[in-house]
Amino acid sequence: MAEHVRRVSSNETCVHYLSKNVQNEFIAFLSGKIQNNILQQLHQATYYSVILDCTPNVSHIEQMTLLARFIKFEANKDVSIKEHFLSFVPVLHASGEGLTEILLKELEAQRIPLKSMRGQGYDNGSALKGKHVEVQRRILDLNPRAFYVPCGNHSLNLFVNDAALSCSIAADCFSTIQQIFNFFSSSMQRWGILLKHVSTLTVKPLCNTRWESRIEALLPLRFHIEEVYDAIYEASKEQKFDTYCRNTAIVLLNRLQSFKFLCCLVTWHGILHKVNMVSKLLQKVTIDLQSSMDLIKSVKTFLEGMRSDEGLNSIITDAKELAEKNGCCCRL
């Protein structure tokens, strides 16, 4: 290969096989080879489950992601669970009927028998999980042994989302965190002030789809709130900023001094830290139903512990420590 590149670079040959068409052809060959290997393992396993999800891409085209999950028996009699991506499929009609038709055509195109399906794994989207006319119901009508199991990770995410939206204090807390990020990220000068004060973690935006990922946005305020506070304070006194900017900084300073905000910050950091750990474990290929149930129960136990007198006292103590880091008397 090195000799080939040398000859092309020195103009000894014009046939270099490095055009985009040739590269795409190489990628297609590799893709086909890998996919055939996966399908060979699937056929040897006989039984399998499918995992589907739909999301729009950057071109605003809805795409269905198709994965297969099966058991592989090794030559040394070891047994392992395999989970492989099979394809992206463009979706024109995101209804239950349309998604079912696409799934059946894709299985047929890849010579995967529907009668060997033993499981369906989808998120909680209505077009997928519906009990009457949606995908899981239509597949069950064709193969009664293809049992449907909702995504435990997605269910956990919805639980956290609903819990937060049902509490105005939590909504205000996350709104403040997002506003702090917007305040600094919308100006290079303000971001420079932040970097001057924050030594390690910088502020981050909230994730709207995966709530457990919001732990990344809480970390800077949970452990470096005094540095973020100093950065906002400097911005509020900077005369080269306009009045609106300085007033915005003053509003954010008042919110950071609120004891209610600090208690909410401590509470949600604890919740999201626990949920994030469980979420990562639920995404493992080797996870099984019993382990998933145990993990969900551990979250429930943790939340019940936070409601106890000991848990509430711990939250108040941590909130007071944050107030002391700010060097101010919090507004109750």
Side-chain angles (χ1 to χ4, degrees), residues 59-85:
S59 302
H60 306 290
I61 298 176
E62 190 81 8
Q63 285 193 335
M64 182 176 74
T65 307
L66 176 61
L67 293 92
R69 186 178 172 97
F70 53 87
I71 296 176
K72 182 179 180 180
F73 297 91
E74 306 289 351
N76 56 2
K77 298 185 179 181
D78 288 340
V79 178
S80 59
I81 299 174
K82 298 295 181 180
E83 185 177 298
H84 290 287
F85 165 79

Side-chain angles (χ1 to χ4, degrees), residues 4 41 81 107 123 145 164 171 202 220 228 243 257 266 295 325:
H4 176 69
Q41 295 180 44
I81 299 174
L107 292 177
D123 62 17
R145 295 183 178 181
T202 58
V228 177
T243 304
Q257 294 173 10
V266 172
L295 289 171
K325 287 183 178 181

Side-chain angles (χ1 to χ4, degrees), residues 12 23 33 35 37 41 54 59 63 73 87 93 117 147 156 175 181 246 264 270 274 281 283 292 298 314 328:
E12 295 180 22
Q23 292 180 23
K33 189 68 175 179
Q35 191 175 56
N37 182 267
Q41 295 180 44
C54 294
S59 302
Q63 285 193 335
F73 297 91
S87 62
H93 304 287
M117 186 187 297
F147 297 108
L156 179 62
S175 176
F181 172 79
R246 296 199 302 271
C264 192
K274 177 64 176 179
L281 293 173
Q283 296 177 54
S292 300
S298 70
S314 176
C328 63

Side-chain angles (χ1 to χ4, degrees), residues 81-124:
I81 299 174
K82 298 295 181 180
E83 185 177 298
H84 290 287
F85 165 79
L86 293 179
S87 62
F88 283 126
V89 186
V91 175
L92 298 178
H93 304 287
S95 62
E97 180 181 4
L99 293 175
T100 304
E101 182 180 354
I102 292 173
L103 172 60
L104 294 177
K105 286 184 178 180
E106 192 65 18
L107 292 177
E108 182 180 1
Q110 301 197 28
R111 304 183 304 280
I112 302 176
L114 176 63
K115 65 180 181 179
S116 298
M117 186 187 297
R118 289 298 180 268
Q120 308 176 65
Y122 316 132
D123 62 17
N124 290 272

Side-chain angles (χ1 to χ4, degrees), residues 50 100 103-104 114 117-120 122 128-149:
V50 294
T100 304
L103 172 60
L104 294 177
L114 176 63
M117 186 187 297
R118 289 298 180 268
Q120 308 176 65
Y122 316 132
L128 292 168
K129 75 166 187 176
K131 296 182 180 180
H132 302 292
V133 294
E134 308 308 344
V135 176
Q136 68 104 354
R137 180 72 264 172
R138 293 173 183 271
I139 296 298
L140 278 174
D141 291 340
L142 297 173
N143 180 4
R145 295 183 178 181
F147 297 108
Y148 165 65
V149 178

Side-chain angles (χ1 to χ4, degrees), residues 18 44 49 75 105 122 129 195 203 253 302 316 319-320:
L18 297 177
Q44 291 176 351
S49 296
K105 286 184 178 180
Y122 316 132
K129 75 166 187 176
L195 294 179
V203 294
L253 288 175
F302 172 79
I316 294 174
K320 288 181 178 179

